Amino acid sequence: MANMLDEVTGPVNESGRDANVIEKQLPVKVGVGSIIFEVVLWVLGIIPGLVFLIKKIKAAEYFRKLEQRIQHDASQIDNYLEQRVMILQNTAQIMEKAIELDKTTLTEIAAYRGGKSTDAKRNEMSSKIDNMYAQFNIAMENYPELKAHDEIKEAMRQNSYLQREITAAREIYNDTINHWNRDINIWPVKMIVAAKQGYTTRIPFSASKEIKQQARSTFFENAA
């Protein structure tokens, strides 16, 4: 019998394929079978019914604790993003005479400071910050003298540091999100509790379009 997946003969997608996070929250749903399952446990006796009830109480407590952990992990990302906003504003004041900044976008980013975000909004604001820094990099290419400005050099150094911290923080956040999305779909106890509470899957923190474009760029053009 031939191999179902043959890496020698293909087919092969030579152009490759990019992966993106789907920003969609899926509600947890259980069917009639879950209701029948619970009824059967009580029919079998008080003890099976009580045992399952206790398990549901513990599952509900577990989800409450996990939600608090998600909030903590998300706040870490928010804190680093807010610091990037502050650096962005300081850098903009120095560079405003050398580049035509998008005032509307800058105002929107400034409004982000101190605010709490949904999963999707956090991704959106991170993308806008990345886009503004991309504009700054273009400005420095057009105005080489800006690269020698000590305050700008320090701002870019701090930005690079915060980008690394955000990457580490969102790895932790996405790991917690993965636990949530996995556990709310574990039948019977957790899934039944999640459905009753109206829980949905959560959206992981994803890389912005600007960051993905940078990752595809050529870093060592002059290496030859």
Side-chain angles (χ1 to χ4, degrees):
M1 180 178 179
N3 294 330
M4 296 179 66
L5 298 176
D6 192 339
E7 67 278 5
V8 177
T9 60
V12 177
N13 183 358
E14 295 183 354
S15 61
R17 176 177 295 172
D18 201 358
N20 297 290
V21 173
I22 306 301
E23 291 196 356
K24 184 177 182 180
Q25 292 178 295
L26 304 176
V28 180
K29 297 179 180 180
V30 292
V32 178
S34 295
I35 299 175
I36 296 175
F37 174 78
E38 289 194 73
V39 171
V40 169
L41 288 178
W42 285 105
V43 170
L44 292 175
I46 296 179
I47 293 180
L50 287 177
V51 169
F52 192 73
L53 178 61
I54 292 173
K55 286 181 177 290
K56 289 198 298 181
I57 293 174
K58 289 183 177 180
E61 181 182 0
Y62 167 78
F63 283 131
R64 287 193 295 270
K65 290 181 178 179
L66 191 55
E67 276 193 305
Q68 292 301 316
R69 180 179 169 188
I70 291 173
Q71 288 298 308
H72 173 269
D73 294 345
S75 69
Q76 290 292 96
I77 298 175
D78 287 342
N79 289 338
Y80 288 128
L81 288 176
E82 184 173 352
Q83 292 180 54
R84 285 195 72 193
V85 170
M86 296 173 66
I87 295 174
L88 181 68
Q89 291 174 321
N90 293 337
T91 309
Q93 292 175 0
I94 301 171
M95 300 179 66
E96 61 183 353
K97 294 182 180 180
I99 179 175
E100 184 63 29
L101 296 177
D102 186 338
K103 302 298 183 181
T104 302
T105 301
L106 189 58
T107 301
E108 291 177 353
I109 294 177
Y112 176 73
R113 292 181 58 184
K116 298 300 181 183
S117 300
T118 61
D119 298 337
K121 187 66 175 178
R122 185 175 295 107
N123 275 330
E124 177 187 346
M125 295 310 300
S126 178
S127 177
K128 286 184 177 180
I129 295 172
D130 289 336
N131 182 57
M132 290 301 294
Y133 265 105
Q135 292 184 41
F136 289 170
N137 288 329
I138 293 173
M140 286 193 290
E141 291 177 3
N142 295 332
Y143 301 87
E145 66 274 12
L146 291 176
K147 295 181 180 180
H149 198 295
D150 290 339
E151 292 185 20
I152 292 179
K153 287 164 61 177
E154 176 61 19
M156 292 304 176
R157 186 193 66 78
Q158 293 179 11
N159 176 63
S160 295
Y161 164 76
L162 288 172
Q163 282 183 314
R164 291 193 295 270
E165 291 298 312
I166 289 174
T167 298
R170 75 186 201 183
E171 282 293 328
I172 296 174
Y173 173 80
N174 283 351
D175 185 58
T176 309
I177 290 295
N178 179 60
H179 280 291
W180 174 273
N181 291 343
R182 179 196 64 196
D183 289 351
I184 61 175
N185 287 291
I186 296 179
W187 192 86
V189 181
K190 291 180 178 178
M191 192 171 183
I192 290 175
V193 171
K196 184 177 181 180
Q197 295 295 326
Y199 290 148
T200 68
T201 57
R202 295 174 182 265
I203 303 171
F205 195 96
S206 57
S208 67
K209 178 181 178 181
E210 288 69 30
I211 292 297
K212 288 185 177 181
Q213 289 176 340
Q214 290 178 27
R216 297 188 187 97
S217 63
T218 302
F219 291 101
F220 303 107
E221 293 180 351
N222 300 321

